[in-house]
Amino acid sequence: MVEKNAMRAKRPFVFTFDIGTSSLRTTLVDGTGRRLEETTAREKYSLRNTAGGGAELSPEVLKRAAFKCIAHTLSITDFSISAVAASCFWHSLIGVDDRNRPLTPIYTWADSRCRADAAKLREELGERNVHARTGCMVRTSFWPAKLTWLRRVDRALFSRVKRWISPAEWLYRELTGSAHCGLSMASGTGLLNAHTLQWDEALLDRCHIAPGQLNELTEAPLEPKRIARFPRLAQARWYPALGDGAASNLGSGATRPGLAAINVGTSAALRVMKGGPVKKFPFGLFCYRVDAERHLIGGAVSNAGNLRAWCLRELRLEDSEIERQMAARAKPGHGLTVLPFWSAERAPTWDEERRSMIDGITFSTTALDILQALTEASYYRIALIADLVIRQERGAPKFIVSGGIQRSPSSLQRLANILNQPIYPNEEPEASIRGAALYALEREGASITPLRLTKPVRPQRAIAAIYQRERARHAEMEGTQ
């Protein structure tokens, strides 16, 4: 049965994907930018992690999740769908043959088996030079290191790949028979020149791939060749996927000066959006595209909600009790100092060789102590990025917070205390999926209802002062002070 929320919906309708590291979601968003909650479907999956730093996702698992979610969302209403949009996790890639059949798994941003190759590229190319051209560091998250690694370890497989694409491009072609690459997803590869908005020929040559092995760069919607399985999507305009960070800024309303988006999900990131041509961006932070007119400056940390998931699984913590227990632990009284590098870390230090460490464990240490210490250490990393952004912006922006953290009032308060800044929980918890839809709606000429700033979660000054001292102790241990 269609609920009242859907009955009040306004045209045009956008069918929207959110392709994430740990789950895939679909939903309908109406012409005012409002997500129709009853149409939202979600399927979880897990990465295949290996001791050597591998973090892969099966393309077939992704496709099954997508087909199941699409079927559910389409079953809720009979609305005519004008456009299809997508948010997709940045940096990941898959190699396919000329019929779009996967020859590789999806190598995700978290796969760090190419550390040695990244280090060699930095020495050869000069990381500051590459960063100034592409807005990306020469690190394991990005395509140059992954492509170099794969060619080194399996040259025969590398030579069989006809096209290197993102998971969103692969899924689009599976569904429609065609795909192209938007500037947003391209900017997260590490192969796009941030100034010319074209593939960087020198990097392509160094990675031993031809421009024809990448999809066409365009922001124009594609017209599906065929959609036999879901005919209701056949007449829609399919807009190229946005990187999840770009979509998150759009979906949270952090699109103008004085606002910044923080997303805390599987990983975490902090970003500000800017218009006009790209100028100088700070070394250590990224510069990715939203589209030809807008770009993002910020940083991401690899270890966030995935640390919580690890604690739940390996320390046998009871999820239903955690919020109550953590709310009673407002201060860091566990005596632990943690370097939270379960996955190779990113901004702002990008020390991919640094290993994780928990210092101070005694017989009195509990599983909840470890969870709290890991959570705090992750937020300290976000705070490091916030410091750089505040310096870059010459003042603190309003921080709009989205992601899984919104389900935990104690986590929001802890983050505010560690940042020592007020934070504004996003009115729409699914910022990335809403942002992807807004990108399409902008181009469909729809009138978007702006989100309002919610009531802020303000830092508790006495506790914030304790956390400032803890941050200094962690920085001393890591060597970043």
Side-chain angles (χ1 to χ4, degrees), residues 202-243:
L203 283 173
L204 295 190
D205 184 64
R206 176 60 184 82
C207 294
H208 300 277
I209 60 172
Q213 290 181 277
L214 302 170
N215 277 334
E216 176 190 2
L217 288 172
T218 179
E219 295 184 299
L222 65 83
E223 302 293 337
K225 293 181 179 178
R226 53 166 174 78
I227 306 184
R229 185 158 184 161
F230 302 105
R232 283 179 60 196
L233 302 178
Q235 302 305 313
R237 289 170 290 281
W238 288 60
Y239 288 89
L242 290 183

Side-chain angles (χ1 to χ4, degrees), residues 18-32:
D18 183 17
I19 306 167
T21 306
S22 56
S23 69
L24 184 143
R25 286 167 287 189
T26 58
T27 197
L28 291 184
V29 175
D30 79 356
T32 68

